[in-house]
Amino acid sequence: TSFIAKSKYRLSDLTDEDLGYVEGDHKKPGRSIGGMTRSRRQLYQAKGIPRDKSFLMAGKYLIEEMATWQYPFSFIDFETIAPVLPYFKGMAPYELVAFQFSHHVLHENGRVEHASQFLKIEPGVCPNESFLVALNESILENGGGSVFRWGAHENTVLASLLKNCPHVDAPALQPLLNGGEHAMVDMSKVATKGYFISGSHGSSSIKRLLLPTLQASLDLEKIYGNPSYTSDNFTDMQWFQKDKNGKVRDPYEILVEQESVSAIADGGGAMEAYNILQCQNVSIEEESKSSLLCSLLRYCELDTLAMAMIVQAWRGFLSENLQI
């Protein structure tokens, strides 16, 4: 309200003082444990970054943070739903159902592989226990290194499932929770403290960061600029593409373009697909069901691949000393 009273209606109207930014405030005790402060990010969003740069990195913070990570890097992403009307007997309204995960691994030599995936959509059968068993097995088989999530969701889901399924033998999972001896790294927090890129609208959402990061990274163009990505869900896929005007394309748009009918490109679409597959009173043709399953698998896989891409780009930027 005070800004409006001062006839300041746009971000560009705000001064450093309006945003509470003082040069060097990131060094003040208690303001931030390394990295960019909130006021610094607000300043970049309001005023932009130097015209000769497409992004800024808190290099010292990122170097120190990434030095604590251990290979192989595991990137995990969950798809869940919390329906008001439970699908399964004995469950309460809004009780969490975890029906899918994807797990990518980035090795020290730079090799990326889609290590495993889980999707259980059988109507009337709660997937939660199977989810925990499969995830535990995947972490044990591909673990030993740091495990990454993007945001609080995976930690919240895992804590809830372990609490509600205490009889499930999943020893590799409890240590991944906040405060655990092998706690997951929240890449969203790392991105917020260490990375600001034009085109992301100041957001640290992975879907906001991915396209501008692809545009800025020569490493990602080199790695994904050929039809060479192959997994259980993709064959000879080229994730780095340019349109006829020479602009880099969003991989999530490429994903939608690849689908015939039931394209899924966000978590809401995944929940909707799972809901359709659980509704036993809804008739669905086998071809449509198969298409939904394929779309679910491909979407979740791209989410964890995107996490690996971001880390690959950061490594490249830091090696080229492209930082603040």
Side-chain angles (χ1 to χ4, degrees):
T1 304
S2 59
F3 292 154
I4 295 176
K6 296 176 182 177
S7 299
K8 295 184 177 184
Y9 307 112
R10 302 179 179 84
L11 280 174
S12 58
D13 295 331
L14 302 180
T15 65
D16 297 4
E17 290 74 20
D18 290 329
L19 296 170
Y21 176 75
V22 179
E23 186 64 35
D25 71 346
H26 60 293
K27 299 178 181 178
K28 292 183 178 180
R31 292 299 297 275
S32 173
I33 303 175
M36 301 176 188
T37 59
R38 179 181 179 184
S39 58
R40 179 182 283 267
R41 290 188 64 88
Q42 290 175 331
L43 180 68
Y44 292 154
Q45 188 173 0
K47 300 296 186 180
I49 60 178
R51 293 184 178 181
D52 62 335
K53 297 179 181 293
S54 61
F55 63 88
L56 294 173
M57 303 184 79
K60 185 175 186 296
Y61 162 76
L62 274 176
I63 290 171
E64 290 178 355
E65 168 65 28
M66 294 174 73
T68 67
W69 302 349
Q70 295 182 332
Y71 286 100
F73 297 167
S74 285
F75 304 94
I76 59 174
D77 178 74
F78 302 164
E79 300 302 331
T80 63
I81 193 168
V84 61
L85 296 177
Y87 298 118
F88 313 113
K89 183 178 179 179
M91 296 191 77
Y94 300 110
E95 189 169 343
L96 193 69
V97 176
F99 59 88
Q100 182 178 13
F101 72 73
S102 173
H103 180 184
H104 263 92
V105 173
L106 173 60
H107 297 275
E108 190 168 6
N109 64 3
R111 182 170 64 90
V112 174
E113 65 171 322
H114 191 223
S116 70
Q117 60 187 5
F118 171 89
L119 177 60
K120 192 175 183 67
I121 50 82
E122 183 180 350
V125 179
C126 180
N128 288 354
E129 293 185 7
S130 298
F131 179 99
L132 288 174
V133 171
L135 182 62
N136 181 74
E137 180 180 334
S138 186
I139 294 297
L140 287 175
E141 288 183 355
N142 302 281
S146 299
V147 179
F148 300 82
R149 54 184 168 89
W150 200 287
H153 182 65
E154 281 66 31
N155 188 81
T156 302
V157 169
L158 194 53
S160 176
L161 294 185
L162 290 172
K163 179 181 178 181
N164 294 333
C165 306
H167 54 285
V168 174
D169 184 24
L173 303 184
Q174 188 72 38
L176 299 180
L177 299 178
N178 282 343
E181 60 188 44
H182 195 52
M184 291 179 282
V185 178
D186 184 351
M187 287 184 63
S188 176
K189 288 185 177 180
V190 177
T192 298
K193 288 186 175 184
Y195 185 54
F196 189 99
I197 187 165
S198 296
S200 66
H201 305 284
S203 172
S204 293
S205 159
I206 192 166
K207 290 181 175 63
R208 290 281 195 174
L209 291 180
L210 182 59
L211 177 57
T213 300
L214 278 168
Q215 293 169 336
S217 173
L218 295 176
D219 282 2
L220 293 185
E221 180 176 5
K222 182 186 300 184
I223 297 168
Y224 299 100
N226 297 297
S228 56
Y229 179 85
T230 297
S231 67
D232 289 339
N233 304 312
F234 298 98
T235 301
D236 297 332
M237 191 69 182
Q238 180 175 340
W239 289 113
F240 186 99
Q241 298 183 19
K242 293 183 179 180
D243 62 19
K244 61 182 179 181
N245 296 316
K247 294 184 177 180
V248 179
R249 301 183 63 200
D250 188 331
Y252 286 93
E253 292 182 0
I254 296 173
L255 178 67
V256 170
E257 186 181 83
Q258 292 277 318
E259 306 294 342
S260 54
V261 180
S262 54
I264 297 172
D266 56 48
M271 286 190 286
E272 183 179 356
Y274 184 75
N275 183 63
I276 291 172
L277 294 166
Q278 288 302 305
C279 293
Q280 301 182 48
N281 61 333
V282 175
S283 177
I284 179 171
E285 297 180 357
E286 194 61 34
E287 183 177 349
S288 296
K289 179 180 178 180
S290 177
S291 179
L292 277 176
L293 293 177
C294 181
S295 294
L296 281 166
L297 291 170
R298 289 157 68 92
Y299 163 67
C300 198
E301 177 174 347
L302 179 55
D303 273 353
T304 48
L305 176 61
M307 295 167 69
M309 287 180 175
I310 296 293
V311 171
Q312 288 174 303
W314 286 350
R315 292 197 311 182
F317 295 154
L318 290 172
S319 69
E320 297 169 28
N321 202 34
L322 300 176
Q323 53 186 284
I324 57 175

